[in-house]
Structure formats: structure tokens, C-alpha cells
């Protein structure tokens, strides 16, 4: 996983309908824009803390330097306009630091980092022009600024390279013009050489780091997909369903909207396996999974294999009537597929039974919703299968006209038409 391809890209294979994730070799970006946005979003909190630390560190250094200049002025040394760049930089830090605490998106964070890098570079160049006596310390300062750009700011690699290249071209020229007397040619040569080496090293390490972080993100994403996908049918598994149920229960509780669960069982599937064999039985389950996902297509809907020949369908923001309507469409699409099942006592084609449970979170618990759906499914199977039975936590339950029977829900009676 992650071997370089001939095109200079890293390809991470993904199962079934998940597209391969590619990381470019030179720009160190995920090729898929949505994957790149997901990665930047996952890094947002860490990147924001990193920028806050850089702002605080540079602000502290600026204040200490400014305090030294103020002391020199009080001692009778005329610095002229020499205080202006550091005062300006301190003001920028004072403004940028609280902004960094309240920024809400990675795009805004990157813009803030770019503005800080440009302002800091301009301030340092202005400081050199106003303090030419600092020329001896400037090569070290130039390299330090390149290190901050490559390793400390939350920027994309291409943005880092643009900022570092611009600073590398402008800073040595400003240094040679501002410093008096003009540095010897060998000093200029060594400084330019060090800046070039700093850029090569900075780019190489930053490229490797950013590519490895994205590859790790893609691998974790792939692993999560594998852990949440049923290997036989390709839809979500019970583990993913349990997580989604807890999440949707909390979300529906906050929004005060209903949540419905459909428990689906393939009628007489053991007889189907006995008649056609397990391989054809597996093909049958895969086909049913595809059909179920064709009905539950809303963004929040989730279809998962619960175990064996049982499936579940989670329907957020769906009340009892809407859930029964979905169950009826599920039965209709299975009936329309006309999958032969000559061993079934209820007809020549394969059928399903469905228990439909609805709730208004935070009433009771997610486990109670699953338990009610399971009991409703059992009642539908007990009353002849090929039916739908529905109920609601904490209220009287309703049953589709195709089913008859009684289900006890705590103190509430499931009344059947």
C-alpha cells in the first residue's frame, strides 16, 4: 500500500465503490478535492494550535527586541525609525493572535498564516534597512525565517514554496544593498548557498512530511471503511450501524425530530440455502443489499447487514408513517425483482418481513428502539411473514393492513387492524 506509481503518484487502493486515493509527488496534495478537504478539516484543530504557538513565540521575541530598543533609546541612542518595524510587527501579532483563536475554517486559517508570513518578512526587511548594523546576524535570521515557513506554518506545500522562494530572492538583495560596507563576495556567496541548501532541505522534509501525513490519513480512512463494511454484501455492517444509531439518536434528540428503524428479514432463507446452496445464497444476499440501498437513498439513511439474512435500515428525521412508506417500497422492490424461491411456503418468489419501530429521542434509549423493531419483526414472521408491523416507543403502535397480531411494548399495547 502506498507504492509509487510510474506517474510519480502514490496510489492507495480502496474496496468496491471507494475510489483510490492518490497523493501527488511534488505538490503533496490529495488528487481528489473532497479527500483533500477532508484531510485539511481533520488537521484544522492541530494546525490552529500550531499557528497560535508560532504567533505567541514570534510576538514574545518581538516584544523582547522592542524592549531592548526602548532601553537603547532611553540610554541616549538615536534609533530613528528603527522602532517602527518592531512596533508594527507587535501590533500585527496582537491583532492576529485573537483572530487565530476564533478562526473557524482551514481556508481562513491558511489566509491568516499567509498574511502573517508576508507581514513578518516585510517587517524583517524593513528592520534591516533601518538597522544596517545588524547585517552580520542577517544570514542566520534569513534561514530562521525559512524554517518557520517550511515547518511551523499550516500551509500547503506549494504555498510554502512560493513564500520561501520570494523571500529567498528578495532578502539577500536587500541585505547586500542595506549593509554598509557591502559584504565581501565570498560572504554573499556563502549566504546564498546556505539559503539554497535551506530551501532544498526545507522542501524535501516538508514534502516527505506532508505526503506521509496524507498517506496515513488515507490509510486510516480505508481502514475505517473496511471495519465498517460487510465483506459479503459491500454495505455497512453491524458495527457501523451501532455507531450510526448512537450518533443519530443524539442528533435527533437535539433537533427534536423522530428516528425510525426498520428490521428486515429474508423469509425462509435457510430453505433457500438448502435448495440452491450457500454460494447462490450469498449472491442472493448481495442482490437484496443492492435493492435495499436503492430505496433508502437520502443522505442520512443507512442500510446495513445486521447478521445472517437480517438487514436494518436507519431513517433519521422520519416518523412512523414515513417509515412504513419506506418499508412498503422495500417490499415492493423485492417483490418486483421476482427472485425465485420455490422452497418458500408463502409464494414462488423470495419475500421479506419488516419490523418498523419509531421513536422521538430522547424517549427511552437506542437499545429500546432496536428491541422494539426486533419484536415487531418477530411478530410479522409469527403471523405468516411477508408482512410489515410497525410500532412507536411510548405510544400505541400501528400495523400495515397486510399484517395481524399483537405486540406488547412495555405498558403500551400494539393494536393490530
Amino acid at each position: 500500500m502506498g507504492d509509487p506509481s510510474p506517474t510519480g503518484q502514490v496510489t492507495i487502493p480502496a474496496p468496491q465503490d471507494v475510489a483510490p486515493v492518490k497523493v501527488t509527488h511534488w505538490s503533496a496534495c490529495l488528487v481528489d478535492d473532497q479527500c483533500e478537504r477532508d484531510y485539511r478539516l481533520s488537521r484544522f484543530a492541530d494546525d490552529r494550535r500550531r499557528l497560535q504557538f508560532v504567533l505567541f513565540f514570534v510576538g514574545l521575541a518581538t516584544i523582547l527586541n522592542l524592549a531592548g530598543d526602548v532601553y537603547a533609546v532611553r540610554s541616549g541612542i538615536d534609533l530613528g525609525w528603527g522602532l517602527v518595524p518592531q512596533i508594527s510587527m507587535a501590533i500585527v501579532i496582537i491583532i492576529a493572535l485573537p483572530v487565530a483563536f476564533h478562526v473557524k475554517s482551514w481556508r481562513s486559517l491558511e489566509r491568516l498564516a499567509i498574511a502573517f508570513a508576508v507581514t513578518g518578512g516585510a517587517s524583517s526587511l524593513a528592520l534591516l534597512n533601518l538597522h544596517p548594523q545588524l547585517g552580520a546576524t542577517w544570514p542566520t535570521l534569513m534561514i530562521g525565517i525559512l524554517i518557520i515557513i517550511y515547518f511551523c506554518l499550516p500551509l500547503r506545500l506549494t504555498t510554502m514554496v512560493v513564500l520561501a522562494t520570494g523571500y529567498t530572492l528578495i532578502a539577500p538583495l536587500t541585505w547586500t544593498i542595506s549593509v554598509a560596507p557591502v559584504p565581501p563576495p565570498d560572504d554573499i556567496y556563502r549566504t546564498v548557498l546556505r539559503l539554497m541548501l535551506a530551501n532544498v532541505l526545507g522542501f524535501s522534509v516538508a514534502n516527505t512530511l506532508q505526503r506521509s501525513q496524507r498517506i496515513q490519513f488515507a490509510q486510516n480512512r480505508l481502514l475505517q471503511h473496511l471495519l465498517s463494511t460487510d465483506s459479503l454484501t459491500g454495505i455497512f455492517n453491524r458495527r457501523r450501524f451501532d455507531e450510526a444509531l448512537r450518533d443519530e439518536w443524539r442528533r435527533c434528540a437535539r433537533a427534536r425530530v423522530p428516528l425510525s428503524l426498520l428490521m428486515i428479514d429474508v423469509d425462509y432463507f435457510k430453505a433457500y440455502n438448502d435448495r440452491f446452496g450457500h454460494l447462490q445464497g450469498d449472491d442472493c444476499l448481495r442482490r437484496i443489499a443492492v435493492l435495499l440501498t436503492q430505496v433508502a437513498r437520502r443522505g442520512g439513511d443507512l442500510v446495513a447487514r445486521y447478521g445472517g439474512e437480517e438487514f436494518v435500515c436507519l431513517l433519521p428525521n422520519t416518523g412512523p408513517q414515513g417509515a412504513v412508506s419506506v418499508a412498503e417500497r422495500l417490499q415492493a422492490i423485492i417483490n418486483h425483482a421476482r427472485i425465485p424461491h420455490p422452497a418458500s411456503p408463502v409464494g414462488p418468489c423470495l419475500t421479506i418481513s419488516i419490523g418498523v419501530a419509531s421513536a422521538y429521542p430522547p424517549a427511552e434509549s437506542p437499545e429500546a428502539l432496536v428491541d422494539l423493531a426486533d419484536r415487531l419483526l418477530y411478530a410479522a414472521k409469527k403471523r405468516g411473514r411477508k408482512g410489515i408491523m410497525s410500532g412507536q416507543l411510548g405510544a400505541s403502535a400501528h400495523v400495515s393492513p397486510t399484517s395481524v397480531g399483537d405486540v406488547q411494548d412495555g405498558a403500551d399495547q400494539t393494536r393490530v387492524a
Side-chain angles (χ1 to χ4, degrees), residues 11-29:
T11 301
I12 298 174
Q16 299 171 7
D17 60 335
V18 179
V21 180
K22 299 179 181 178
V23 183
T24 58
H25 184 75
W26 294 110
S27 59
C29 279

Side-chain angles (χ1 to χ4, degrees), residues 169-389:
L169 295 175
I170 296 173
L173 181 62
T174 306
W175 176 60
T176 55
I177 294 175
S178 302
V179 175
V182 176
D186 58 332
D187 285 351
I188 297 176
Y189 170 76
R190 280 194 294 268
T191 299
V192 172
L193 181 61
R194 289 168 185 167
L195 288 176
M196 291 176 60
L197 291 175
N199 273 283
V200 171
L201 180 62
F203 172 81
S204 176
V205 176
N207 178 280
T208 301
L209 179 63
Q210 293 215 19
R211 291 177 71 242
S212 65
Q213 288 174 339
R214 283 167 169 81
I215 291 172
Q216 183 180 21
F217 169 80
Q219 289 173 338
N220 289 337
R221 174 182 165 121
L222 178 59
L223 179 60
Q224 286 299 115
H225 181 83
L226 292 173
L227 291 175
S228 62
T229 302
D230 178 59
S231 59
L232 175 64
T233 61
I235 63 175
F236 290 123
N237 58 17
R238 181 168 178 174
R239 178 180 182 274
R240 179 67 182 92
F241 163 72
D242 291 338
E243 294 174 352
L245 178 61
R246 291 192 297 268
D247 293 341
E248 291 296 343
W249 185 272
R250 289 192 293 265
R251 190 189 66 80
C252 291
R254 290 193 300 269
R256 298 291 178 179
V257 295
L259 177 65
S260 294
L261 172 63
L262 278 57
M263 188 79 73
I264 306 158
D265 184 76
V266 181
D267 294 331
Y268 300 105
F269 188 71
K270 185 179 182 302
Y272 185 95
N273 270 337
D274 293 341
R275 177 67 180 268
F276 296 106
H278 288 281
L279 289 180
Q280 189 164 335
D282 291 345
D283 290 337
C284 178
L285 291 177
R286 282 189 284 266
R287 186 175 179 186
I288 291 172
V290 171
L291 293 172
L292 296 180
T293 55
Q294 289 177 359
V295 174
R297 301 178 61 91
R298 295 186 312 168
D301 295 348
L302 181 140
V303 176
R305 185 182 179 200
Y306 197 70
E309 66 272 19
E310 285 191 351
F311 297 84
V312 286
C313 181
L314 191 63
L315 303 173
N317 198 21
T318 304
Q321 292 183 350
V324 170
S325 176
V326 172
E328 291 172 346
R329 293 203 302 272
L330 291 176
Q331 279 200 333
I333 197 171
I334 296 295
N335 294 337
H336 182 72
R338 300 192 63 80
I339 302 172
H341 189 354
S344 173
V346 295
C349 295
L350 185 141
T351 60
I352 57 174
S353 299
I354 307 177
V356 182
S358 302
Y360 283 82
E364 301 206 30
S365 66
E367 292 76 15
L369 183 66
V370 174
D371 180 66
L372 177 59
D374 186 61
R375 288 186 287 125
L376 289 167
L377 173 62
Y378 176 77
K381 292 166 62 177
K382 185 178 179 181
R383 292 294 181 176
R385 313 203 183 202
K386 195 182 177 180
I388 301 170
M389 298 194 72

Side-chain angles (χ1 to χ4, degrees), residues 75-237:
S75 299
I77 301 175
D78 185 12
L79 297 178
W81 292 92
L83 293 175
V84 173
Q86 300 203 60
I87 293 175
S88 301
M89 192 63 187
I91 293 174
V92 169
I93 296 294
I94 292 172
I95 295 174
L97 195 55
V99 172
F101 277 94
H102 293 90
V103 69
K104 299 298 183 183
S105 70
W106 60 265
R107 290 189 180 88
S108 299
L109 186 69
E110 187 173 52
R111 295 189 192 106
L112 180 62
I114 294 173
F116 167 71
V118 172
T119 304
S123 176
S124 63
L125 295 176
L127 186 64
L128 176 61
N129 282 292
L130 296 172
H131 285 283
Q133 67 273 20
L134 299 177
T137 64
W138 255 81
T140 302
L141 183 58
M142 292 180 202
I143 295 175
I145 291 176
L146 290 178
I147 290 174
I148 291 176
I149 291 175
Y150 277 115
F151 303 123
C152 299
L153 296 181
L155 300 171
R156 283 172 290 188
L157 186 63
T158 51
T159 307
M160 291 179 181
V161 172
V162 170
L163 291 173
T165 302
Y167 187 78
T168 301
L169 295 175
I170 296 173
L173 181 62
T174 306
W175 176 60
T176 55
I177 294 175
S178 302
V179 175
V182 176
D186 58 332
D187 285 351
I188 297 176
Y189 170 76
R190 280 194 294 268
T191 299
V192 172
L193 181 61
R194 289 168 185 167
L195 288 176
M196 291 176 60
L197 291 175
N199 273 283
V200 171
L201 180 62
F203 172 81
S204 176
V205 176
N207 178 280
T208 301
L209 179 63
Q210 293 215 19
R211 291 177 71 242
S212 65
Q213 288 174 339
R214 283 167 169 81
I215 291 172
Q216 183 180 21
F217 169 80
Q219 289 173 338
N220 289 337
R221 174 182 165 121
L222 178 59
L223 179 60
Q224 286 299 115
H225 181 83
L226 292 173
L227 291 175
S228 62
T229 302
D230 178 59
S231 59
L232 175 64
T233 61
I235 63 175
F236 290 123
N237 58 17

Side-chain angles (χ1 to χ4, degrees), residues 27-58:
S27 59
C29 279
L30 289 161
V31 173
D32 186 87
D33 291 338
Q34 183 59 48
C35 291
E36 178 68 19
R37 285 192 291 269
D38 292 343
Y39 167 78
R40 296 302 301 272
L41 185 61
S42 70
R43 296 279 307 174
F44 173 70
D46 290 336
D47 286 345
R48 183 168 60 178
R49 282 193 294 269
R50 183 151 51 107
L51 181 60
Q52 290 166 358
F53 172 77
V54 173
L55 289 171
F56 176 79
F57 176 79
V58 174

